[in-house]
Amino acid sequence: MDAEKPSQGDAEQPIAPDLTPNSSSRDEADGMEGVVNEFLVESYENLDQLDRDLVQLEQNPTEKSLLGSIFRIIHTIKGTCGFLGFSKLESLSHVGESLLSKLRDGELLLGPESTSALLTMVDAVRQILSCIENERNEGTVDYSGLIETLSRLTKGQLAGGKPTAPPPPAVPASAPEKVIESLSLAPVPATVATVASHEGMAPVKIDTRASDAVDDAVYRQQNPERRQRDERKTDVATASIADNSIRVDVSILDKLMNLVGELVLARNQILQYSSSTEAKDSGFVATTQHLNLITSELQEGVMKTRMQPIGNIWSKFPRVVRDLALACNKQVRIEMEGKDTELDKTIIEAIKDPLTHIVRNSVDHGIESPDIRVANGKQAEGCVLLRAFHEGGQVIIEISDDGGGINTERVRDKAVERSLITPEQAARMSERELVNLIFLPGFSTAAKVTNVSGRGVGMDVVKTNIEKIGGSVDIQNQLGHGTSLKVKIPLTLAIIPALVVTCSGDRYAIPQVNLLELVRLDQQVARGVEMIHGTPVYRLRGNLLPLVYLSKELALKQVVEKNLKDGDAQFIVVLQADDRQFGLIVEGIADTEEIVVKPLGKQLRGIKAFAGATIMGDGKVALILDVLGLAQNARVVSEVRDRALTDNKSADTKQATKTQNMLVFAVGDKGRMAILLDMVGRLEEFDRTSIESSGEQDVVQYRGEIMPLIYLSKVFHTTYKEQLDKPIQAVVYAEKGKSVGLVVDQILDIVDEEVTVKSNSNRPGVLGSAVIKQRITDLVDVREVIRTEIPNFYDQQVLALQGRS
Amino acid sequence: MVDTKQFCTFYLDDLMFGVEVSKVQEVLRFQEMTRVPLANAVVRGLINLRGQIVTAVDLRRRLELKERPDNQLPMNVVVRTLDGVVSLLVDEIGDVLEVSEESFERPPDTIAGVTRQLVLGVYKLQESLLLILDTEKSVKIDG
C-alpha cells in the first residue's frame, strides 16, 4: 500500500473521517487510508508529549493540569482506535485511561511503579502504531501482562514486582547498526525497538557522504510521515504561543531550498556579468544589486524555515535520563539551557544520536552512585546540564555533568592494554591527550560490557558523525568534579561562505569556517620557513605552523615552477581543522563567495581531500576542499593526536601559571637536553659533506656567512653512535648578527610546559635540570657553552673581520 | 512480430557501442570539464549540466583503449544510472538504431579484456557489430 499520502500541507485541523457513501470502493479505501494516517501522525505527537508529561508528573505527582492533559490524550487515543477497529490498542489504552482516571480524581497517588507502567504503556502503544504503519495490523505481541499490571495498579495493589515489559518484536535490520545500545531492563526495550523502526533510518544515512539534499530525497521517499511529523512538532510547540503556524510538507520545503540554491548560483553569474560588462549600464547594475539583495534575503528566509529548535531532540532526554538512572540505581536530574537555539533540520537529524549517546554516557559513567557522591561531599542527585547557544557562525552544544570525571590513568592503561597506543607514547601524553583517547575506535573502560554501554562502539562513532557534518567535539575533564563535552557544529550545510584559491591553474573553494587568516608568502616570510622532522613549518606569532603545499597534496604540478626561495609571492592560508592549525600554501587568492555545496558523485566520494563541488559565477565547476581530510592526508592532524609538531594552548588548562616553549633534543645515547625556544633561531640540517674546517673548528657555509659548529655531545662528554650517512641536525643560535650551529644528536620534541628549574651550578654549560614530559632534562646554558667553545665569538675584532651585517 | 530494441549508438576508436535509449538522458558536444585531482584517471572531470554537477567518465580509459588524440574533443553521452547521472565521454555520436533481438548474441571470444566485462552482448548488423555497453558497470570505479 502506498504510504505516501500526506495531507497536502493545507490542514490546520485533522480532517474528520469522510463518511459520505462512495460509489467507488477505492475512494473509500483511500479515505480510510487518510484517516488512519492522520491518526498515526497525531498519535505519535501525542505520545511524545505523554513521555514528557509523565516524567514531569513524576516530579510533581499532584500537578492537576498535567494529570488532566495526560488523561485527555489517552482518552482521545482510546476513542479513535475504537472507531478504527484497533482492538488491542483500545484495550491497552482503556486500562491506561482507568488508571489515569483514578490518579486524576485523587484516588491514587502517582509513584515510580505507576509511572514506569504508564511509560511502558506509551511504548507499547508506539509499538502497535508502528505495526499499523508498516504492516496495517496491530502486530502479534501479547500485552496481557502489561494490561494486568496496569489493572492491578488501578486497583491500588502495588505488590507484584516490576511491571513486565512487552517482549520486543523482531527488531528491524537497521537496529544493530545503531549507536544507541539497547537496555535489558523493563521499560526500555520497546523504546529501542520502536525508535529503531522509525528513526533507524537516520543513523544508517549518516554513513553516506551525500549532501543533505540527496539524503533528504531518499529519506523523503522512505519516511514521508516521519518527516512530516517532525515538522509538525515544531508547529505544535509554537502554536500555543501564537496560532500562526501552518503545516507544510517537508518535501516542499526541500524543493524551495534547492530552488533558492539555484537562484544563488544564477545570482552569482549575473553579478559576474555585471561587474565585467564594459558598458556599465547603470540601470543594469542597479537591477543587479536589487536582485542580489532580494536573493540574499530569500535565502535567509528559506533557511529559517528549515531551522528547528534543538529542544526538539532534547525533549526526549528527560525520559532517557530517568529510565537510565533508574536502571543504574542512580539519581540524576537533567537541566537544559538554550532549548530554543535553532539548527538546520538535517543537522538536527545528524546529531541526535551522538547527543543521546553522550547524555547516556554521562549518566552511566559520569554520575556516581548516590552513596559515593554523598561520601565525597556531593549531593546525592547528580546533574546533567545541556547548554546550547550560537557563537561565531556555529552552534555550540555543551553537555556537562557533575560526576566523577574521567580517570585518565585508567584511560591510559586501557589504551595501552588494547594496543591503541604504545607505552612510550602513553608516557609522553599530556592530560588533554589522554582524555581524548576515549575517541579512539575500540575503546571502552567499562569493566564489563553491560547492556547500557561499554560495548566500545560509542565515542569514536559520536566523533565521526559529528565531524561528518563539519563539526567538532572537545572534552574538558576534572577528576572528581565532572566532565564537559563541547560540540561545535556549523549553522548550515547547503550554502556556505568560502574563499576561492588557485592552484596549478584551477580554482578551489575553502569553507570560511575553517579559515583563520591569510599570510602573504614573499621572500622575507619565506626565510621564516624552517624544517622540523622533514616538514616545513612557519613561525606565526610564536606558534609553529606546519605547512602544506596544496599542489603537492593534490599531486599537481605547480604551474609556476617556483619554490619558496624565489621572488614571486605565494600565499599561506592558515586553516583550522580539529583544533589544529596548519598553513596551506596556494598560488593565488580570489574572492570570498557564497557557494552552494553540491555533493560529488559516488565515484569521487571516497577522496578525502574534497567535501563537494560548486558552480562558480562563470559557470565552471570548482571543487570544495575538505580541510580536515586534507590535513589528515598531509599528516598535520594525525588520527592518534600525536602533538609533536603543533602546540595548542587550550583555554582551560592553567592559563594562570606561566608555561615555557622548549625545544627538547637528545644528546648522547641517553641524555635529554633542552633550550628555550626563544633562543632558537632556526633548525637546520646539514650534509656532512658541507662541513669544512677552519683551523680546528668545524664550520659550514650558511646563508652567506661562515658558521661555526659546536657538537654538544662532545661538550657534555657523552658518547653517541654517529650515523655518518645522515645529515647533522643543528640548532642555529644567533646573537649580534653572528650565528652558531649547535649540533644535536636528535631533535625530539617541542613542548609547552610549566618548568621548574632546579639550578645546578656544578656542571658547566648547564643552567639546571627540570622534569619535562616526565623525563629529567638538562637546560643548556647556550651563552656559556659558546663562550667556552668559541672564545672569540663575542670578540669585536672577529666581528669586523667577518665583515657581515 | 519481431522483437526490436532501440539503442543510442556511439563510437570509440572505430568500435561501435550502444546504450538503451531509455537510459540516455541527452547527448552533448564537448563540454568544459574541471579536473578532479587524486581521482582515478578514468574520471576526466566534472561538467556543469544546467546547474547539475555531473561526473564525466572517459570510456576510452575505462575500456583500456588507446588514448584519444589530443586534437580530438570527446562528446558526451549523459546516462541515467542507479547512482545518479553520469556523462560518458565518447569519440563520436552515432544514430539511434532499431535492432532486432534475433541478431543478439553473447559477447564473442574475440573481444578481449576489460571490454568483455563491460559489454552485455553484441548485435550483428549488416556491416558491423554493435556492442552493448553495461552502463552500471562502466561507471563503477574504485577510488
Side-chain angles (χ1 to χ4, degrees):
Chain A
M1 272 220 198
D2 181 18
E4 172 97 31
K5 280 212 91 172
S7 58
Q8 304 308 323
D10 60 353
E12 284 97 347
Q13 300 293 327
I15 304 173
D18 183 1
L19 296 172
T20 52
N22 247 311
S23 48
S24 151
S25 63
R26 178 123 194 279
D27 279 348
E28 211 174 87
D30 282 349
M32 276 306 281
E33 185 80 34
V35 172
V36 171
N37 285 336
E38 278 283 350
F39 168 65
L40 285 172
V41 169
E42 299 228 342
S43 301
Y44 284 139
E45 269 176 29
N46 288 335
L47 289 175
D48 287 337
Q49 185 66 35
L50 268 182
D51 265 346
R52 289 196 286 275
D53 286 348
L54 281 169
V55 173
Q56 247 191 309
L57 189 64
E58 200 179 14
Q59 317 281 348
N60 301 320
T62 50
E63 176 68 46
K64 281 273 178 229
S65 56
L66 278 175
L67 279 165
S69 121
I70 294 175
F71 176 83
R72 272 194 301 280
I73 293 177
I74 300 202
H75 182 73
T76 311
I77 294 181
K78 188 192 89 164
T80 324
C81 59
F83 161 75
L84 291 173
F86 297 131
S87 51
K88 249 192 200 169
L89 203 45
E90 193 186 2
S91 38
L92 194 51
S93 42
H94 176 81
V95 68
E97 189 198 41
S98 314
L99 176 55
L100 274 164
S101 166
K102 293 236 168 139
L103 288 168
R104 185 190 56 171
D105 298 340
E107 288 179 36
L108 283 177
L109 191 63
L110 187 73
E113 274 208 28
S114 310
T115 315
S116 295
L118 285 169
L119 286 172
T120 312
M121 182 200 73
V122 171
D123 291 333
V125 171
R126 268 207 194 93
Q127 208 175 59
I128 301 178
L129 289 180
S130 153
C131 281
I132 295 177
E133 181 180 2
N134 297 322
E135 295 155 39
R136 290 300 177 219
N137 62 52
E138 283 182 286
T140 51
V141 183
D142 176 23
Y143 300 104
S144 48
L146 175 59
I147 293 180
E148 213 202 291
T149 311
L150 286 165
S151 315
R152 268 211 319 271
L153 285 165
T154 313
K155 296 191 190 110
Q157 298 162 9
L158 296 174
K162 288 209 178 12
T164 48
V171 174
S174 56
E177 296 160 66
K178 281 187 57 57
V179 171
I180 300 176
E181 293 96 7
S182 54
L183 289 191
S184 63
L185 214 55
V188 189
T191 314
V192 176
T194 32
V195 167
S197 60
H198 305 306
E199 293 150 42
M201 288 303 159
V204 177
K205 279 291 161 281
I206 285 175
D207 286 332
T208 60
R209 276 188 66 190
S211 82
D212 48 318
V214 176
D215 270 337
D216 278 355
V218 182
Y219 214 132
R220 228 181 305 139
Q221 198 182 312
Q222 289 171 328
N223 249 329
E225 270 138 359
R226 184 169 171 266
R227 286 264 146 160
Q228 215 184 340
R229 178 166 53 90
D230 271 354
E231 202 60 24
R232 290 181 185 187
K233 239 191 286 190
T234 326
D235 296 341
V236 169
T238 52
S240 49
I241 308 170
D243 263 293
N244 287 334
S245 55
I246 177 173
R247 293 183 182 198
V248 178
D249 196 70
V250 177
S251 55
I252 296 180
L253 286 178
D254 284 340
K255 211 166 154 192
L256 269 180
M257 192 63 192
N258 281 341
L259 287 173
V260 168
E262 300 301 323
L263 183 62
V264 166
L265 289 178
R267 184 264 323 252
N268 290 350
Q269 280 183 289
I270 291 186
L271 274 182
Q272 207 165 30
Y273 285 139
S274 151
S275 63
S276 66
T277 320
E278 310 276 328
K280 294 270 184 234
D281 178 1
S282 67
F284 179 56
V285 170
T287 312
T288 313
Q289 296 292 44
H290 196 202
L291 178 68
N292 189 11
L293 274 174
I294 298 176
T295 310
S296 300
E297 283 202 34
L298 183 61
Q299 182 192 329
E300 251 189 74
V302 171
M303 296 226 273
K304 276 211 191 110
T305 65
R306 291 171 55 100
M307 301 290 258
Q308 283 194 315
I310 198 171
N312 284 1
I313 354 175
W314 282 5
S315 58
K316 298 216 191 289
F317 288 164
R319 166 119 192 236
V320 169
V321 166
R322 176 206 177 261
D323 289 343
L324 195 47
L326 219 57
C328 302
N329 290 320
K330 297 181 186 173
Q331 295 171 23
V332 186
R333 75 170 184 281
I334 184 168
E335 283 177 8
M336 309 195 272
E337 279 174 35
K339 262 196 285 213
D340 296 324
T341 311
E342 289 191 330
L343 292 177
D344 186 274
K345 191 172 173 30
T346 23
I347 298 186
I348 289 200
E349 296 300 319
I351 61 168
K352 192 161 46 158
D353 287 337
L355 284 186
T356 312
H357 188 88
I358 295 174
V359 168
R360 291 168 69 105
N361 261 4
S362 286
V363 177
D364 189 31
H365 292 309
I367 309 281
E368 319 93 317
S369 63
D371 8 308
I372 299 183
R373 286 181 68 86
V374 170
N376 284 338
K378 295 186 189 176
Q379 283 188 318
E381 191 187 45
C383 173
V384 174
L385 171 65
L386 298 174
R387 281 183 67 216
F389 53 94
H390 287 288
E391 188 183 76
Q394 293 187 304
V395 177
I396 318 283
I397 304 172
E398 272 181 16
I399 302 156
S400 9
D401 64 69
D402 61 353
I406 298 177
N407 185 333
T408 45
E409 294 294 321
R410 282 185 63 208
V411 166
R412 176 180 25 217
D413 294 340
K414 212 58 176 194
V416 172
E417 189 186 303
R418 300 213 172 179
S419 309
L420 297 170
I421 51 169
T422 65
E424 294 80 40
Q425 281 176 311
R428 291 210 319 247
M429 282 184 164
S430 65
E431 266 295 297
R432 199 183 138 96
E433 291 167 326
L434 287 173
V435 162
N436 282 317
L437 284 177
I438 67 170
F439 288 123
L440 290 177
F443 184 91
S444 170
T445 56
K448 56 185 187 350
V449 173
T450 64
N451 276 329
V452 176
S453 40
R455 232 169 263 155
V457 296
M459 290 313 280
D460 67 310
V461 180
V462 165
K463 183 160 177 284
T464 317
N465 285 344
I466 290 178
E467 280 173 356
K468 273 208 174 83
I469 53 167
S472 62
V473 192
D474 194 48
I475 314 182
Q476 318 267 46
N477 178 49
Q478 234 190 331
L479 191 61
H481 292 281
T483 320
S484 170
L485 263 101
K486 206 173 190 184
V487 176
K488 289 190 197 164
I489 30 192
L491 266 179
T492 179
L493 303 176
I495 302 180
I496 58 170
L499 174 72
V500 179
V501 300
T502 49
C503 175
S504 311
D506 292 324
R507 281 175 302 186
Y508 298 93
I510 302 178
Q512 204 166 59
V513 71
N514 298 107
L515 182 63
L516 290 174
E517 62 187 282
L518 297 175
V519 178
R520 191 186 151 90
L521 187 56
D522 54 24
Q523 203 172 11
Q524 193 188 25
V525 169
R527 288 217 207 113
V529 175
E530 313 171 32
M531 304 288 285
I532 295 186
H533 292 240
T535 312
V537 294
Y538 176 66
R539 208 179 294 205
L540 186 67
R541 291 189 296 277
N543 281 330
L544 284 174
L545 200 67
L547 296 178
V548 172
Y549 281 87
L550 183 57
S551 50
K552 242 188 231 146
E553 286 310 305
L554 300 181
L556 299 170
K557 268 181 59 155
Q558 284 194 278
V559 163
V560 178
E561 285 280 355
K562 295 189 190 253
N563 55 28
L564 284 171
K565 307 254 175 356
D566 283 32
D568 248 343
Q570 292 184 323
F571 293 89
I572 303 179
V573 183
V574 182
L575 298 170
Q576 174 156 315
D578 201 25
D579 268 355
R580 309 291 205 85
Q581 299 177 12
F582 69 100
L584 187 68
I585 300 182
V586 301
E587 287 156 29
I589 303 213
D591 281 324
T592 341
E593 295 184 24
E594 279 198 334
I595 56 170
V596 179
V597 178
K598 296 202 178 248
L600 291 173
K602 207 165 182 207
Q603 299 85 357
L604 302 168
R605 235 167 258 172
I607 306 180
K608 267 168 77 170
F610 301 122
T614 184
I615 299 186
M616 305 296 297
D618 60 0
K620 296 220 189 104
V621 177
L623 287 158
I624 304 172
L625 297 180
D626 180 339
V627 173
L628 184 61
L630 207 58
Q632 281 170 344
N633 280 352
R635 296 191 191 287
V636 291
V637 168
S638 87
E639 317 284 336
V640 193
R641 305 207 166 231
D642 174 51
R643 292 193 174 232
L645 280 177
T646 45
D647 248 356
N648 203 341
K649 291 186 176 59
S650 55
D652 56 335
T653 42
K654 308 169 194 156
Q655 279 292 57
T657 56
K658 243 180 74 130
T659 54
Q660 310 259 33
N661 255 326
M662 326 234 9
L663 175 72
V664 180
F665 48 89
V667 168
D669 278 323
K670 290 191 214 146
R672 285 167 75 102
M673 309 200 80
I675 301 183
L676 284 175
L677 200 57
D678 292 334
M679 300 213 91
V680 175
R682 292 181 62 85
L683 297 173
E684 295 281 0
E685 277 187 355
F686 298 107
D687 261 335
R688 284 176 195 276
T689 50
S690 59
I691 303 176
E692 310 172 58
S693 51
S694 161
E696 285 182 2
Q697 176 74 52
D698 272 2
V699 296
V700 284
Q701 292 185 33
Y702 180 64
R703 294 181 168 219
E705 61 173 282
I706 301 170
M707 182 172 77
L709 296 173
I710 299 178
Y711 294 89
L712 287 181
S713 48
K714 290 204 184 110
V715 170
F716 295 108
H717 307 296
T718 54
T719 52
Y720 183 66
K721 204 161 160 215
E722 286 199 51
Q723 292 178 299
L724 291 168
D725 55 339
K726 290 227 168 76
I728 57 166
Q729 299 196 302
V731 174
V732 177
Y733 169 77
E735 194 178 349
K736 295 194 175 65
K738 281 183 19 167
S739 316
V740 173
L742 303 164
V743 180
V744 302
D745 296 323
Q746 200 190 356
I747 295 181
L748 291 174
D749 206 348
I750 293 176
V751 300
D752 180 25
E753 286 198 359
E754 194 191 327
V755 266
T756 23
V757 180
K758 299 180 201 32
S759 70
N760 185 343
S761 45
N762 294 339
R763 298 172 54 198
V766 176
L767 276 174
S769 331
V771 176
I772 297 178
K773 291 234 187 263
Q774 291 145 356
R775 300 279 299 270
I776 297 184
T777 315
D778 294 329
L779 271 75
V780 179
D781 187 348
V782 176
R783 288 211 177 85
E784 212 202 304
V785 167
I786 297 178
R787 244 193 306 266
T788 323
E789 296 297 310
I790 308 176
N792 55 13
F793 183 77
Y794 290 105
D795 197 343
Q796 284 295 93
Q797 244 183 343
V798 182
L799 266 174
L801 266 177
Q802 287 202 325
R804 266 269 307 146
S805 60
Chain B
M1 266 307 282
V2 178
D3 268 329
T4 59
K5 270 198 185 152
Q6 284 189 326
F7 291 95
C8 180
T9 63
F10 51 86
Y11 295 89
L12 284 167
D13 197 18
D14 293 336
L15 293 171
M16 184 165 72
F17 289 86
V19 174
E20 256 180 89
V21 194
S22 53
K23 292 206 178 109
V24 177
Q25 177 177 293
E26 63 196 280
V27 159
L28 300 169
R29 66 174 191 282
F30 173 73
Q31 298 285 306
E32 270 225 44
M33 291 179 274
T34 302
R35 65 175 162 172
V36 181
L38 306 178
N40 188 310
V42 168
V43 175
R44 275 312 268 271
L46 300 171
I47 302 176
N48 173 2
L49 192 63
R50 291 186 300 281
Q52 202 188 1
I53 297 183
V54 174
T55 313
V57 169
D58 188 327
L59 276 185
R60 276 212 186 204
R61 287 186 181 170
R62 184 73 177 94
L63 294 165
E64 289 174 16
L65 301 171
K66 275 196 335 257
E67 277 290 298
R68 197 171 289 109
D70 275 336
N71 54 354
Q72 193 183 347
L73 294 175
M75 311 201 73
N76 292 275
V77 176
V78 181
V79 293
R80 285 184 274 262
T81 70
L82 289 174
D83 296 318
V85 167
V86 177
S87 176
L88 305 173
L89 294 177
V90 304
D91 294 352
E92 264 180 60
I93 313 268
D95 297 322
V96 172
L97 298 179
E98 189 158 345
V99 292
S100 121
E101 285 300 290
E102 279 183 345
S103 47
F104 181 79
E105 263 190 27
R106 311 286 295 147
D109 295 327
T110 45
I111 298 182
V114 170
T115 316
R116 185 94 181 277
Q117 294 165 18
L118 298 177
V119 165
L120 292 169
V122 175
Y123 285 86
K124 296 171 305 207
L125 304 179
Q126 260 188 338
E127 295 188 7
S128 49
L129 288 177
L130 174 63
L131 304 159
I132 304 303
L133 190 70
D134 183 340
T135 38
E136 294 297 330
K137 272 205 198 135
S138 324
V139 301
K140 260 205 191 2
I141 296 162
D142 303 319

